[in-house]
């Protein structure tokens, strides 16, 4: 890990000790993340803290990183943010150079698709490469792989041949979802590349008998289908409850 990141992680430890008192300091993981703007997130999961800092803020002075640590940890515990921390942080992001970089990012977003193949739990690129080796002899050329922006439940995966893209529902990027389920969804979409749509008499055929036969070659075909059938409703309910909880807190 870079020295900068371990220094930043120390700030979070310090902030936890000061803000959260005697409670044991959780394990802390900080990384820079290619958010478009100046966004940062902090999450507590299973006694681990995940911090994602906007990539554009990589060059902030350490004093500002420290102030930001105190701001984010205070927010995590819904405590009042110290005015000094706010001031130090705000002054540091108010520089022209940073503003210009954010503007450039926003402009670039219009041109290129910003994709996130690496989720919180599963990396779609890693899954794709693994499946490609096992089932396709490495012959499928890698499309753009991305988690969807929204947690959708009706559609778990989508292949867009015009844009050479496979999108997987972010609802599956969860520790509650077994890896073979994510693999199965990616595998299904890869089969759409392997079996291109057939146009016959003005109709489109996607899931041809050959497609369905190949789909059953997946080692955990039955497990994955039955997991989706029995668990998707629960997953959806949990996400809805989480959302409701978040809204009530605001
Ligand atoms: Zn399909």
């Amino acid at each position: 890990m870079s020295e900068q990141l371990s220094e930043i992680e120390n700030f979070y430890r310090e902030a936890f000790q000061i803000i959260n008192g005697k409670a044991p300091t959780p394990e802390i993981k900080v990384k820079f993340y290619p958010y478009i703007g100046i966004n940062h997130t902090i999450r507590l999961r299973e006694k681990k803290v995940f911090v994602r800092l906007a990539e554009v803020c990589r060059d902030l002075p350490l004093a500002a990183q420290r102030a930001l640590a105190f701001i984010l940890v205070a927010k995590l515990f819904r405590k009042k943010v110290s005015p000094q921390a706010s001031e130090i942080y705000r002054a540091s992001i108010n520089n022209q150079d940073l503003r210009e970089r954010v503007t450039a990012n926003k402009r670039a977003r219009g041109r290129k698709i910003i994709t996130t193949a690496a989720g919180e739990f599963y990396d779609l690129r890693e899954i794709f490469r693994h499946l490609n080796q096992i089932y396709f002899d490495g012959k499928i050329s890698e499309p753009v792989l991305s988690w969807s922006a929204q947690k959708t439940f009706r559609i778990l995966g989508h292949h867009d041949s015009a844009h050479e893209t496979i999108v997987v529902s972010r609802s599956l990027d969860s520790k509650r979802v077994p890896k073979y389920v994510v693999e199965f969804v990616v595998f299904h979409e890869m089969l759409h590349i392997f079996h291109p749509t057939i146009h016959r008499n003005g109709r489109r055929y996607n899931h041809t008998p050959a497609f369905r036969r190949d789909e059953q070659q997946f080692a955990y075909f039955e497990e994955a289908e039955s997991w989706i059938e029995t668990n998707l409703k629960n997953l959806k309910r949990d996400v809805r409850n989480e959302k409701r909880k978040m809204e009530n807190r605001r």
Side-chain angles (χ1 to χ4, degrees), residues 155-174:
I155 294 168
L156 296 180
H158 170 71
H159 168 240
D160 177 348
S161 57
H163 297 98
E164 290 287 311
T165 304
I166 287 178
V167 179
V168 178
S169 172
R170 195 171 287 276
S171 61
L172 299 180
D173 184 27
S174 159

Side-chain angles (χ1 to χ4, degrees), residues 188-189 192 207 211:
H188 179 100
E189 302 311 325
H192 279 305
H207 302 121
F211 181 108

Side-chain angles (χ1 to χ4, degrees), residues 52-142:
R52 283 176 165 186
L53 302 174
E55 183 63 53
V56 286
C57 290
R58 197 182 272 277
D59 298 328
L60 289 192
L62 284 175
Q65 295 290 5
R66 183 171 176 272
L68 180 56
F70 277 81
I71 293 170
L72 292 179
V73 172
K75 283 191 173 156
L76 185 67
F77 291 108
R78 295 185 182 75
K79 297 226 170 120
K80 203 168 164 288
V81 172
S82 107
Q84 293 101 302
S86 281
E87 206 185 303
I88 293 170
Y89 171 69
R90 215 170 293 150
S92 76
I93 60 165
N94 258 331
N95 74 67
Q96 191 61 28
D97 190 46
L98 187 62
R99 296 278 155 202
E100 275 166 15
R101 258 186 293 161
V102 170
T103 313
N105 275 355
K106 286 186 178 156
R107 226 176 281 132
R109 178 168 57 170
R111 277 183 262 120
K112 69 172 185 220
I113 314 165
I114 304 281
T115 58
T116 51
E120 295 261 338
F121 291 93
Y122 296 117
D123 185 342
L124 294 175
R125 208 169 287 146
E126 181 198 306
I127 287 175
F128 174 92
R129 286 174 187 167
H130 175 70
L131 295 171
N132 202 13
Q133 284 314 316
I134 293 187
Y135 295 100
F136 301 97
D137 223 4
K139 291 210 170 82
I140 295 197
S141 66
E142 192 167 313

Side-chain angles (χ1 to χ4, degrees), residues 28-45:
I28 292 160
K29 290 228 180 326
V30 176
K31 65 178 174 184
F32 287 100
Y33 194 79
Y35 291 124
I36 304 280
I38 305 176
N39 298 315
H40 319 288
T41 58
I42 185 165
R43 286 198 185 91
L44 184 63
R45 273 210 187 122

Side-chain angles (χ1 to χ4, degrees), residues 207-223:
H207 302 121
T208 59
F211 181 108
R212 290 301 186 197
R213 264 198 307 278
D214 282 352
E215 193 177 27
Q216 288 176 26
Q217 297 303 308
F218 182 63
Y220 301 92
F221 177 74
E222 268 113 36
E223 289 91 334

